[in-house]
Amino acid sequence: MEDFKGESIVITGAGGFIGSAIARRLVILGAQVHAVVRHGSDKSRLAEIARDITIHEADITNQSEIENVLSESAPKGIFHLAAASQKFGLVPSIDALIDTNIRATVKLMDKIEASTFFVNTDTFAVVGAKQASLREDDVLEPTEFYGVSRIPATLYGGALGRTSGKPIVTVRVFTPYGPFVQKGKLPYEVITRALLNTDIELTRPEVARDFIYIDDLVELYLRAGIHANEYPGHVFNGGGGKAVTLEEFADLVREEAHSKSVIRWGSTAISYDSGRPEADLTKVRGLLGWEPSMSFRDGIRETITWFRAHPGYWRS
């Protein structure tokens, strides 16, 4: 992708799972990467590229700090991953969700120039517990405040795109997995417990997720940035396009890990676990020419291989 070579690109939440993966890919593509991370946060995912990027310790809720980053970087584009995020059964405070996911994100959108593309992030949780394949234009009916908190910035970015032509688009992320997946997320918990041959605690076997391998998701983010000027205000589904039950997922992980773990069903459910989230990929195929290239089995195998090769990341 020559579009990024030599270009200044800002990534907020760059120390996280998705943000760091985008940063590593952009370094390979020759971009000038400005990685924004919280003060004192874990930067281990950026260690291998630390010499090739500029790291800014800044809080996106601090307007002066963010203005300094934008002034110094003069970015061609921003990939916005910073968020107060939900982990396996743990939800941030309402204040944190409002301050980061709504107020800070909207203000950041206001600050960018019309010549700077902005790829926002939200989650399939905004749609709620639905059984059908999820389209980008579905009615948003989140079942908890975490999902609610991701909606205002998406709608605001859409409004700015439609009314002022600002190249703001949103990637709606389903369930990403792969190397460096964060502790507390479903893929991390199931894979590490399988490798340790300890019990795997899950809600119900019929609960489903739509899994997307991290390299495929990064490719979608980059394409969304490249085409943001063509489709300002649009939302693009970032999923694998197939609902996989927790039973299918856990069985595949145990098979690929040659694990003796036992699944214990009946742990605390998340409110949207009553649905069957599956990303409709019609729009991303048609407008961006994107679809996942990694099969689910191959992706799980790659992830398990990486975890085996990096015990220091999860054995602690």
Side-chain angles (χ1 to χ4, degrees):
M1 291 186 175
E2 293 295 319
D3 305 77
F4 295 102
K5 188 173 183 178
E7 299 289 357
S8 176
I9 305 294
V10 166
I11 306 171
T12 70
F17 175 39
I18 302 174
S20 62
I22 293 174
R24 290 191 294 272
R25 179 68 184 282
L26 286 174
V27 166
I28 293 173
L29 295 175
Q32 298 175 18
V33 176
H34 291 263
V36 181
V37 298
R38 290 193 307 272
H39 297 280
S41 65
D42 179 16
K43 305 181 189 67
S44 60
R45 294 186 182 92
L46 300 172
E48 65 185 63
I49 58 171
R51 295 182 179 181
D52 303 311
I53 65 177
T54 302
I55 297 178
H56 304 263
E57 289 201 358
D59 188 333
I60 69 162
T61 64
N62 186 310
Q63 295 303 302
S64 63
E65 291 183 351
I66 290 302
E67 287 173 2
N68 288 339
V69 172
L70 296 179
S71 176
E72 181 179 336
S73 60
K76 171 68 176 297
I78 298 174
F79 291 100
H80 182 52
L81 282 302
S85 296
Q86 180 167 284
K87 293 183 180 181
F88 205 43
L90 299 175
V91 183
S93 70
I94 288 179
D95 286 344
L97 292 169
I98 292 173
D99 289 344
T100 304
N101 297 355
I102 302 176
R103 185 179 294 114
T105 301
V106 165
K107 287 185 176 181
L108 183 55
M109 288 177 176
D110 278 336
K111 291 181 186 302
I112 65 169
E113 303 293 334
S115 58
T116 302
F117 74 75
F118 187 100
V119 182
N120 180 47
T121 301
D122 77 5
T123 166
F124 73 93
V126 303
V127 181
K130 291 185 171 65
Q131 299 297 328
S133 184
L134 305 181
R135 293 166 48 92
E136 290 88 347
D137 58 359
D138 281 345
V139 175
L140 305 182
E141 299 175 313
T143 56
E144 55 189 20
F145 193 75
Y146 168 67
V148 172
S149 75
R150 306 306 293 264
I151 294 175
T154 296
L155 295 181
Y156 188 62
L160 288 177
R162 290 189 300 272
T163 60
S164 66
K166 272 193 174 185
I168 299 174
V169 296
T170 292
V171 172
R172 179 161 293 154
V173 178
F174 281 68
T175 303
Y177 70 99
F180 287 111
V181 65
Q182 60 270 60
K183 183 177 182 179
K185 291 293 188 178
L186 173 66
Y188 178 100
E189 297 300 323
V190 173
I191 289 171
T192 56
R193 293 178 193 183
L195 290 173
L196 292 170
N197 293 304
T198 57
D199 289 356
I200 299 171
E201 298 178 357
L202 296 169
T203 56
R204 301 185 308 280
E206 71 275 13
V207 168
R209 288 284 186 275
D210 183 333
F211 295 90
I212 176 73
Y213 190 66
I214 186 62
D215 289 356
D216 285 331
L217 184 58
V218 168
E219 177 71 16
L220 173 57
Y221 268 90
L222 299 187
R223 292 198 188 194
I226 290 171
H227 295 285
N229 278 295
E230 299 172 59
Y231 307 113
H234 281 244
V235 176
F236 297 104
N237 277 342
K242 181 182 179 181
V244 177
T245 67
L246 295 189
E247 183 174 37
E248 293 169 334
F249 171 51
D251 284 347
L252 178 58
V253 169
R254 289 190 302 169
E255 177 185 341
E256 291 295 333
H258 306 291
S259 175
K260 298 178 182 178
S261 293
V262 174
I263 303 176
R264 303 293 184 188
W265 299 105
S267 61
T268 303
I270 300 172
S271 60
Y272 49 77
D273 276 343
S274 57
R276 187 178 174 85
E278 179 177 288
D280 184 318
L281 303 182
T282 304
K283 182 176 179 179
V284 288
R285 287 191 184 109
L287 298 187
L288 302 184
W290 174 89
E291 62 182 339
S293 62
M294 180 71 80
S295 74
F296 188 45
R297 178 175 291 275
D298 287 347
I300 291 297
R301 183 177 297 141
E302 290 286 331
T303 306
I304 290 172
T305 298
W306 184 89
F307 268 79
R308 288 192 190 278
H310 297 82
Y313 180 70
W314 57 281
R315 281 185 176 270
S316 59

